[in-house]
Amino acid sequence: MIRAIIGVAGGLAALLPDRIVDVFQRLAVANPDEVEPRPGLLPTLRAEGALVVAIALTGGRVYAWMLYVAGAFGSLLLAFPRLYREMAARFVYDDPDAVEWKVGFDGVLRLVGALYVLWGIRELRRRREGA
């Protein structure tokens, strides 16, 4: 089930990267009309989404490693959401200092981080029980 959800999310990123950016901005950024995403962001999201779909369809060790990495990343989101915001602004926006984050977005980041950690732990347990 989780693999299907991840595959669908990757497919949406590959097919509709502009909508993904719009949703992210509505959810996270207080001044979306005043900041401009970097020109290479949409092709990067498209490629990342296609890679996630391929990995979700393939399964196996590569899929397990993707979830382990997601779990490690999730622990950082959970513990350091402000650091993530700073890094994300530098990767996503032309002028990262102009980005004003919405109040409460750190809570969303922590929730996503916890979900990633749980997925990573679940996969680790599944792999250990199967070995």
Side-chain angles (χ1 to χ4, degrees):
M1 176 72 170
I2 291 172
R3 206 162 104 185
I5 292 169
I6 291 170
V8 167
L12 289 173
L15 296 173
L16 306 167
D18 51 339
R19 294 223 178 129
I20 298 295
V21 171
D22 289 343
V23 168
F24 173 78
Q25 288 193 175
R26 279 197 306 261
L27 179 68
V29 179
N31 62 337
D33 296 331
E34 299 172 23
V35 292
E36 192 66 35
R38 290 185 181 269
L41 181 64
L42 297 181
T44 302
L45 277 176
R46 191 178 303 277
E48 180 184 2
L51 180 63
V52 167
V53 168
I55 291 171
L57 288 173
T58 305
R61 288 185 181 196
V62 175
Y63 173 77
W65 275 103
M66 180 180 73
L67 288 184
Y68 301 155
V69 169
F73 178 72
S75 66
L76 293 174
L77 275 177
L78 195 55
F80 307 107
R82 289 184 191 149
L83 178 62
Y84 168 80
R85 284 189 290 129
E86 289 175 24
M87 290 174 40
R90 303 235 175 272
F91 282 109
V92 173
Y93 295 101
D94 278 336
D95 184 7
D97 296 327
V99 178
E100 295 175 17
W101 298 98
K102 285 189 177 178
V103 175
F105 185 59
D106 285 358
V108 173
L109 291 175
R110 284 193 167 106
L111 182 65
V112 170
L115 183 65
Y116 283 8
V117 167
L118 291 174
W119 283 353
I121 290 170
R122 180 181 177 274
E123 185 63 22
L124 186 61
R125 283 185 177 165
R126 192 178 75 74
R127 282 280 184 187
R128 286 190 176 166
E129 290 172 1

